[in-house]
Amino acid sequence: TLIKFLVAAVIFLAAGPFAMKFLFGNKRADEYVDAGLPMAPNEGGFHGKEHKRSSGELQKVDWHDHKQIAADEARVGPGEQGAAVILSPEEEAKKDDLYKVNGFNAFASDKISLQRSIKDIRHPDCKAKKYWNKLPNCSIVVPFHNEHWTTLLRLTYSVINRAPKELLHEVILVDDFSTKPFLKEELDNYMKEHFPGRVKVVHAERREGLIRTRILGAKHATGDVILFLDSHVEANVNYLPPLLDPIAEDYRTVVCPFIDVIDYENFNYRAQDEGARGAFDWEFFYKRLPLLPEDLLHPAEPFNSPVMAGGLFAISRKWFWELGGYDPGLDIWGGEQYELSFKIWQCGGKMVDAPCSRIGHIYRKFAPFPNPGVGDFVGRNYKRVAEVWMDEYAEYLYQHRPHYRSIQPGDLTEQKAVRTRLSCKPFKWFMEEIAFDLVKVYPPVEPKPFASGEFRNRDADMCIDTKYGHEGSNVHLDKCISDSNGGGEQNLELSWHKDIRPSKRTVCFDVSTSVAKAPVILYNCHGMGGNQRFKFNINTQQIYHPISNQCLDCDTGSHELFMNPCDEHKKTQQWIITNVNQT
Ligand code: UD2
Ligand code: MN
């Protein structure tokens, strides 16, 4: 691959600005849509702009704005450097009203400067990374429905303050028929006053849902690239060049930033992880796959990702419209991330995550919007995506969600026409070449658990009871339900993932130390073994934890459950499980 890359780089450099020229046009959205066919190379290139860092030659340069970085680093105050804001008890009492309508602690947001600094948590290699001196420019499109004032404004300041001026063509805020009064003239006026000529506000005439709202924004965009964002994000240091650079090399590459977490309670800014490949399970929950060994070798380089999270990504305007934009039949929320991801890969593009671009997002505590009376829009959206793009694999989705079979997806002619027009590959190709490890991690047919039922201790004659405990709770023994008919959660399984979980939930036994009496704690199941991996020894009836080399044990007096050095003669380490799969 190194050789391949070098060859590509040489060809690219030799072709130089000429190659780049036809990547970016100044066509308007409707021309792309009407043209229907891939674009002819067009003149004008990159808006003919030479930017200040360029000496005319194509080269890689440092895009960091060191002045801005220093100014950010000097900031102090509530929430600065991405710290959590702590409310006083009096303030705590006042936060509820705003919490209810936003699904996050908007009262806390109001305590923080609109231009707060956040910590640069990029991989250290990112600091030295350089990008092409000539990059396409970009329109940021942000759909919003009833977004909170300070989160929307903080987003606006952060994307403008931390982007090179010549690369950020415009910011387009698209109001999806919000009902909060301040999101009308007041917002228009604020933007006119503070960001004249840089921020546009567009108002939809009816509730469109986030997908058609993004399409509406994209139709107003005139930059080479469109960066879509959710309305409650903050962009980190130098977020823009890493998103544009791969697109400059190939306009069919779509680039996602790393999505960091802004805590919904206190606005603390932190990493979610250090990268993973996007995927889905067969109920269409968004999931992640581990990085590949070669991705780990160069942690600052973009890596292929099968599926985007949905809200945050950069795509060349040309490629977006060649793909037909989004399916406008997708209503309100959900499924569009799959539609676009499948389409990008199957129709000849690719998608990468860029580790050096980090953008924080508030994952809400709960969805604050009522269903606007359009039925099961998520189900209908999923059905549209499955019917158009997933071929025989749609069946797996329907097996996990049988009621989708009877959902009417509506007219799909236009969407199928996109597939034919661009000679897109079958879904099987996507599953085998791009998401090749997905079925291993998320098998369409879940294998049977190794063991299931009650886990009864031989000494105590009591059962393990997880008691519907949340993440972080300890696990104990209790009177067996099968003896007492009492309430509890004793139907457990040693799942095919080799973890132990209540059979109806995805919290798992997790042991993170190897000391004597190491506690067993419930954590979200990660399906990756490690701390959560257990083995059942049918002969000795012990439950073994390979990573700590200890066995599940208990105290018959206190009913505590913990790990101890294995001793097959100790009855407190012997477990009778109702069903054991001998095969
Ligand atoms: C995730 C994505 C989101 C989208 C969604 C699935 C991230 C970080 N977020 O959900 O972008 O892909 O999955 O569809 O990847 N909005 C409207 N009109 C509506 C509803 C929402 O304009 O009717 C806006 C909303 O203000 C926000 C964006 O659409 O800016 C996404 O909605 P969300 O934040 O509720 O979705 P999220 O982050 O739970
Ligand atoms: Mn969001």
Side-chain angles (χ1 to χ4, degrees), residues 230 232 361-362:
D230 273 14
H232 31 253
H361 169 256
I362 306 172

Side-chain angles (χ1 to χ4, degrees), residues 142-147 174-176 207-211 213-214 229-233 259 308-312 332-337 361-364 368-369:
V142 183
F144 66 92
H145 177 74
N146 280 346
E147 186 56 62
V174 199
D175 165 25
D176 184 13
R207 178 75 178 275
E208 298 285 6
L210 88 92
I211 298 115
T213 305
R214 279 192 198 145
L229 296 176
D230 273 14
S231 44
H232 31 253
V233 306
I259 307 180
M308 62 168 82
L312 287 53
I332 305 296
W333 186 99
E336 91 293 345
Q337 70 275 48
H361 169 256
I362 306 172
Y363 291 90
R364 298 181 213 273
F369 314 120

Side-chain angles (χ1 to χ4, degrees), residues 126-147:
C126 296
K127 299 204 166 115
K129 232 182 112 60
K130 296 178 173 179
Y131 303 94
W132 294 116
N133 56 341
K134 293 183 190 181
L135 288 171
N137 70 15
C138 163
S139 299
I140 294 182
V141 169
V142 183
F144 66 92
H145 177 74
N146 280 346
E147 186 56 62

Side-chain angles (χ1 to χ4, degrees), residues 16-27:
F18 306 107
M20 282 176 136
K21 250 195 186 142
F22 61 81
L23 302 184
F24 305 103
N26 30 29
K27 293 221 168 199

